[in-house]
Amino acid sequence: MANHKSALKRIRSNEAKRLRNKYQHKTTRNAIKKLRDMDKKKDAEKLFPTVVSMIDRLAKRNIIHNNKAANLKSGLAKHVASL
């Protein structure tokens, strides 16, 4: 158990950040799945910038690696172009 005030505060803030990161990551993964399941090019092109923005935000905050973000965006761009 933590013995210092600062350690207790760190535990609380770490938990809050963990939950926020988990929520954002799961939301992004659901958006990616939704985009991959789309059949209409028009709808996919409308959703694509939003999903890319979400992926970039995760990479900026070090929730996912920059290269993983680049690979995801590349794959989604190919998928949208192939519709």
Side-chain angles (χ1 to χ4, degrees), residues 70-81:
N71 287 336
L72 284 171
K73 291 189 293 186
S74 173
L76 291 174
K78 284 181 184 175
H79 171 71
V80 170

Side-chain angles (χ1 to χ4, degrees), residues 10 17 23 34-35 43 48 50 53 55-56 75 79-80:
R10 176 57 67 188
K17 287 175 187 173
Y23 171 78
K34 184 178 176 184
L35 182 62
D43 294 338
F48 181 67
T50 308
S53 173
I55 292 170
D56 285 336
H79 171 71
V80 170

Side-chain angles (χ1 to χ4, degrees), residues 43-55:
D43 294 338
E45 285 175 340
K46 193 177 282 188
L47 183 63
F48 181 67
T50 308
V51 175
V52 167
S53 173
M54 293 169 85
I55 292 170

Side-chain angles (χ1 to χ4, degrees), residues 17-59:
K17 287 175 187 173
R18 185 186 72 82
L19 291 174
R20 189 180 320 119
N21 289 342
K22 182 179 165 187
Y23 171 78
Q24 290 172 346
H25 196 186
K26 186 64 178 177
T27 304
T28 304
R29 285 200 308 259
N30 286 337
I32 290 169
K33 287 176 190 170
K34 184 178 176 184
L35 182 62
R36 284 191 177 136
D37 289 341
M38 285 191 165
D39 296 331
K40 296 180 181 173
K41 186 172 181 124
K42 197 172 189 180
D43 294 338
E45 285 175 340
K46 193 177 282 188
L47 183 63
F48 181 67
T50 308
V51 175
V52 167
S53 173
M54 293 169 85
I55 292 170
D56 285 336
R57 202 172 305 127
L58 291 180

